[in-house]
Amino acid sequence: MYLSPVYTAAPAVADERVGAVFAALDSLGIPYIRFEHDATATMEDCAAVGEALHGTICKNLFLCNRQQTAFYLLTMPGDKPFHTKDLSAQIGSSRLSFAPPEKMEELLNTHPGSASVMGLLFDTEHRVQLVMDRDVYDAEYFCCHPCDNHGSLKIKTSDLLTKFLPHVGHEPIVVDLPRE
């Protein structure tokens, strides 16, 4: 897998969506390190990137209720299994399933394989509820894609919680998902 050198500044050339993510981080004074790499479509692909970042790339799942009236972005450690019943019980929403790709594009301005907390920048109507597993919430660093799975970035979780999320008007629900 191709892995670029470490960068501490926004890419010189980026599509509008990725450019907006780095512009927001820069305007909020959130320092980051980033890599460019081959597309990472699975958590196995993300393992090498996580090693280079000295962190764990989060698993991000875009979910909805059966009626597609409530949308959730779950961010959790990649090595934890996901069971809908565990999450449903904690957030009080039954019949959760993966949301359609077109809803991810509409609400988070990204596509499957690139879901990211950074996509909340584009959820200006606040239709997506962020749900964070406690292991991610309590971690010192937060690693994710900048809305494109050809790159990854690492920021302090405290900057995500106290600067980025207030800027985009989202407050997370914190859940405790089991390891088994």
Side-chain angles (χ1 to χ4, degrees):
M1 172 190 288
Y2 165 74
L3 190 63
S4 76
V6 175
Y7 298 109
T8 57
V13 177
D15 68 23
E16 188 177 327
R17 157 190 58 192
V18 172
V21 168
F22 285 106
L25 294 173
D26 290 343
S27 74
L28 295 168
I30 298 176
Y32 52 84
I33 63 168
R34 70 175 184 84
F35 288 95
E36 295 173 1
H37 48 71
D38 294 329
T40 53
T42 67
M43 289 312 299
E44 291 77 24
D45 293 343
C46 291
V49 177
E51 285 179 28
L53 287 170
H54 302 289
T56 302
I57 302 290
C58 295
K59 181 186 323 184
N60 295 286
L61 305 176
F62 188 56
L63 308 165
C64 66
N65 62 2
R66 184 172 21 161
Q67 300 82 8
Q68 295 186 19
T69 56
F71 296 91
Y72 304 91
L73 179 63
L74 170 64
T75 186
M76 61 186 289
D79 62 349
K80 267 192 180 181
F82 173 66
H83 303 288
T84 56
K85 66 177 173 47
D86 296 324
L87 180 61
S88 293
Q90 292 186 53
I91 66 172
S93 181
S94 61
R95 308 251 178 162
L96 290 175
S97 63
F98 291 99
E102 57 272 8
K103 284 294 185 183
M104 183 186 293
E105 291 173 20
E106 174 189 340
L107 299 173
L108 297 178
N109 195 23
T110 193
H111 51 83
S114 296
S116 171
V117 169
M118 296 296 135
L120 295 173
L121 179 66
F122 307 104
D123 181 28
T124 57
E125 295 179 8
H126 304 98
R127 293 183 54 201
V128 178
Q129 172 63 59
L130 175 62
V131 181
M132 295 180 78
D133 180 79
R134 183 160 309 280
D135 290 343
V136 172
Y137 184 85
D138 290 340
E140 183 177 2
Y141 290 98
F142 184 84
C143 302
C144 66
H145 296 307
C147 293
D148 183 89
N149 64 358
H150 288 87
S152 296
L153 62 96
K154 176 180 174 180
I155 63 174
K156 286 191 170 214
T157 304
S158 60
D159 284 339
L160 174 74
L161 298 172
T162 64
K163 295 178 181 178
F164 183 79
L165 292 178
H167 173 72
V168 298
H170 284 77
E171 187 171 324
I173 294 172
V174 180
V175 296
D176 293 293
L177 299 174
R179 284 232 167 248
E180 294 140 23

